[in-house]
Amino acid sequence: MDLTRARTVVAGVALAVVASLGWTTPAGAADAAARCAALAGVDIPARVIGLPTTGGAVTEATLVAPSGSGTTAIGEYCRVTAALHPVDPAAPDIRMQVALPTTWNQKALMFGGGGYNGTIPALDGNVPFGPGDAPRPLGRGYATFASDSGHQAPAGFLPTPSLYGEFLANDEALRNFAGDALKKTRDAAVFVIGRYYDRNTPQQTYFAGGSTGGREALAVAQRWERDFDGVISVYPAFNAATLDLYFGHMTRQLAAPGAFPRPAQQVLLYNAVVTACDGLDGLTDGVISNEPACRFDPVVLRCPEGQDTGDTCLSDPQITAIRAVSSPITFPYPLASGETGYPGFPFLSGADMSTPLLGLGTTAPATPMPKTAGYGMQFWDAWVTYAVTRDPAFDSLSLDPLAPGPWQDRISELTALQDVNSTDLRPFARRGGKLLLLHGTADELVSHRATVEYYEGLVQTMGQRRVDAFTRFYLVPGANHANVAAAFAAGWDSLTALDHWVTTGAAPADPVVRDTNPGATRTRPLCEYPTHPRYSGSGSPDEAGSFDCVTG
């Protein structure tokens, strides 16, 4: 057989395999470069976008060569960059990207952002709490897409681009961030996908995001129930403006004289909580699995006479502040979103110094707000100055979220815009949509207690039977917000579970989560709320099979 004929045979076999999987190539892989290049400069008409814009255009289209190997392998794809133009000429464009695999599985996935967004999430990235031992979505043949939610953080913005909040001063940019950019990005991406794949649109489209992205996941399920077949919402900041108010409460508590625990004292607190509550699940392993049963009073760490005498104890002002930020707050005025308070954080949260900027930070809050203060404190500062008062010179520490005075109406208005707290997802469920909801119990930035309240609200609104038909909610003990250097860094192939549920009707059954910390080999059952994993007393403590999902 000559070389030309051999190549033809091999190509034919490859295309047959692709066809047998239901995957497609854009009229054969050979012309992928030409098809990709043809997208450059393509107009995205305003009429294909379901919310007001002035249209958009593809600004760049580049064929990206295959890369990686094994679970990191990414096949050839066309990377498309586009801009969607606002109605208000003073508002920024929505910048977005789409990855179009040459060998496509006829499915699409939108990635959510984080913080105040401001950058486009990596199209070759993983879903939050995703597995390290399986290919990433783009590597599986998904067309992936994402946007900056309608503004770009300046290059090099410190301490992180996701804290850039100046865009909040523009109404259209604020609405885009609150949710409108999700619909605009999705519609534009579907247009681009259809243009590239000969008018073929995805058979299934999913959304995955954590934190702000988790809020965005719930927003698309609530507002545009026909656009996504399933969503993965991880540690969702669903009640975003209400969380901002909690951040303000926390910031003011920790700004009181002598109230801020230094980094070494934060570690002291963290270790004391773990020592007190680690064994409640039948195993001492550095992970508190039965968080609701953890009863810890920081007074056991009190310095003599309550005075700050060093890093081996806590002063009375520090104990007062720690108790305050760990307790629920109730707002003494109504909010338009219907939220009435925020449940606070367990003592375990915010004390792990592996991620200091996401917890309490290394510096007490002050005016101006230090770049080394906790993430939530800086988040509050940006929200107050650019969204609430729209006065960059305003001192955010002077605004009491429990008594906001002349700013009460504006704050209430923002909760109606930003909080995604409706617990009526019946339209999404009736259409066949599925929701996977996950949260780590050591989250230091978004309280898992709030997600528990959201889920219980779903049950109260829709009934347990209806909720069970389309939602699974899992709490992951030891997992923190960024899933970095956590007591238990969660890894689960939620995308496969979601896709299987959507396409076959089979809900996740006995899922197992893996600790993805470097060198870790532990697995645990992924227990459905309200249960948690408890060691059975026999078998390897590193194996999920040695644990039962229990209540109490």
Side-chain angles (χ1 to χ4, degrees):
M1 182 182 294
D2 61 42
L3 182 59
T4 299
R5 184 182 177 195
R7 285 174 173 165
T8 301
V9 170
V10 170
V13 171
L15 289 173
V17 171
V18 167
S20 70
L21 293 172
W23 293 14
T24 63
T25 59
D31 67 347
R35 284 180 166 268
C36 184
L39 288 176
V42 165
D43 286 333
I44 302 174
R47 60 178 170 77
V48 305
I49 300 173
L51 290 174
T53 70
T54 52
V58 173
T59 57
E60 185 179 359
T62 305
L63 194 68
V64 179
S67 63
S69 61
T71 59
T72 65
I74 302 290
E76 180 184 80
Y77 68 96
C78 177
R79 183 179 61 227
V80 176
T81 301
L84 305 181
H85 307 313
V87 175
D88 175 7
D93 285 341
I94 298 171
R95 301 286 179 174
M96 59 175 289
Q97 289 187 334
V98 188
L100 304 161
T102 298
T103 303
W104 181 39
N105 67 0
Q106 296 187 317
K107 300 174 184 180
L109 174 71
M110 181 175 179
F111 287 114
Y116 283 128
N117 294 332
T119 57
I120 302 174
L123 299 180
D124 60 355
N126 211 341
V127 302
F129 283 2
D133 56 355
R136 288 166 284 174
L138 183 57
R140 305 183 196 190
Y142 281 85
T144 60
F145 59 96
S147 81
D148 62 8
S149 84
H151 63 279
Q152 281 282 317
F157 186 83
L158 297 174
T160 173
S162 65
L163 281 171
Y164 173 74
E166 291 186 26
F167 74 95
L168 295 165
N170 179 276
D171 284 341
E172 186 170 350
L174 173 57
R175 290 195 304 271
N176 279 333
F177 169 70
D180 284 3
L182 302 169
K183 174 64 172 173
K184 298 173 184 179
T185 300
R186 178 266 177 196
D187 290 353
V190 170
F191 173 81
V192 171
I193 290 170
R195 185 73 174 247
Y196 187 68
Y197 293 117
D198 291 329
R199 300 183 182 177
N200 289 316
T201 54
Q203 293 180 357
Q204 286 85 33
T205 303
Y206 303 120
F207 190 104
S211 193
T212 289
R215 171 183 64 82
E216 293 168 342
L218 297 177
V220 299
Q222 177 187 321
R223 296 179 62 184
W224 303 289
E225 69 275 1
R226 295 184 176 276
D227 285 355
F228 293 89
D229 299 282
V231 302
I232 301 168
S233 177
V234 185
Y235 38 88
F238 69 92
N239 49 356
T242 300
L243 176 58
D244 281 322
L245 293 172
Y246 168 80
F247 284 152
H249 171 71
M250 173 185 72
T251 301
R252 287 169 58 88
Q253 294 294 321
L254 294 170
F260 184 79
R262 294 180 295 277
Q265 292 171 309
Q266 295 176 36
V267 174
L268 174 75
L269 173 64
Y270 177 85
N271 290 337
V273 177
V274 171
T275 298
C277 300
D278 187 3
L280 295 174
D281 58 1
L283 183 69
T284 302
D285 61 350
V287 176
I288 297 176
S289 294
N290 190 3
E291 184 274 324
C294 182
R295 299 288 183 266
F296 179 83
D297 190 338
V299 74
V300 300
L301 300 175
R302 185 173 184 262
C303 297
E305 308 301 324
Q307 302 298 313
D308 188 350
T309 58
D311 293 339
T312 60
C313 59
L314 298 174
S315 68
D316 284 346
Q318 290 169 334
I319 291 172
T320 297
I322 290 168
R323 283 174 170 165
V325 301
S326 299
S327 302
I329 61 171
T330 300
F331 304 117
Y333 56 93
L335 296 176
S337 68
E339 292 291 286
T340 59
Y342 198 79
F345 286 74
F347 286 117
L348 185 62
S349 302
D352 182 354
M353 287 308 298
S354 61
T355 52
L357 285 179
L358 290 181
L360 301 184
T362 59
T363 306
T367 303
M369 192 63 66
K371 299 298 184 183
T372 49
Y375 190 100
M377 304 170 200
Q378 296 181 67
F379 211 78
W380 160 256
D381 185 63
W383 190 67
V384 168
T385 54
Y386 296 111
V388 178
T389 68
R390 289 184 164 170
D391 177 4
F394 190 88
D395 179 5
S396 63
L397 285 177
S398 70
L399 199 161
D400 183 353
L402 299 181
W407 303 110
Q408 179 176 316
D409 289 345
R410 174 58 176 167
I411 286 171
S412 181
E413 177 186 349
L414 287 169
T415 67
L417 180 65
Q418 293 185 259
D419 288 353
V420 183
N421 61 340
S422 171
T423 54
D424 185 358
L425 295 183
R426 280 175 288 194
F428 179 70
R430 280 196 297 265
R431 188 186 168 273
K434 307 300 181 187
L435 167 63
L436 294 180
L437 190 60
L438 298 94
H439 208 135
T441 61
D443 195 311
E444 64 275 45
L445 194 56
V446 176
S447 178
H448 76 277
R449 295 171 178 172
T451 305
V452 167
E453 290 182 351
Y454 176 86
Y455 175 80
E456 291 179 343
L458 283 180
V459 173
Q460 183 177 359
T461 300
M462 301 176 62
Q464 189 70 60
R465 181 180 60 82
R466 285 183 176 178
V467 171
D468 289 345
F470 82 103
T471 298
R472 290 295 181 272
F473 175 33
Y474 306 102
L475 292 177
V476 186
N480 63 12
H481 193 78
N483 213 32
V484 175
F488 188 99
W492 178 51
D493 192 357
S494 55
L495 181 57
T496 291
L498 179 66
D499 183 53
H500 187 68
W501 195 3
V502 168
T503 56
T504 71
D510 302 320
V512 171
V513 63
R514 181 177 299 277
D515 187 351
T516 61
N517 278 310
T521 60
R522 299 184 296 181
T523 59
R524 294 285 187 272
L526 194 56
C527 295
E528 190 173 343
Y529 178 81
T531 66
H532 64 270
R534 178 176 177 82
Y535 182 56
S536 65
S538 61
S540 170
D542 288 342
E543 297 293 334
S546 302
F547 292 78
D548 301 310
C549 291
V550 301
T551 57

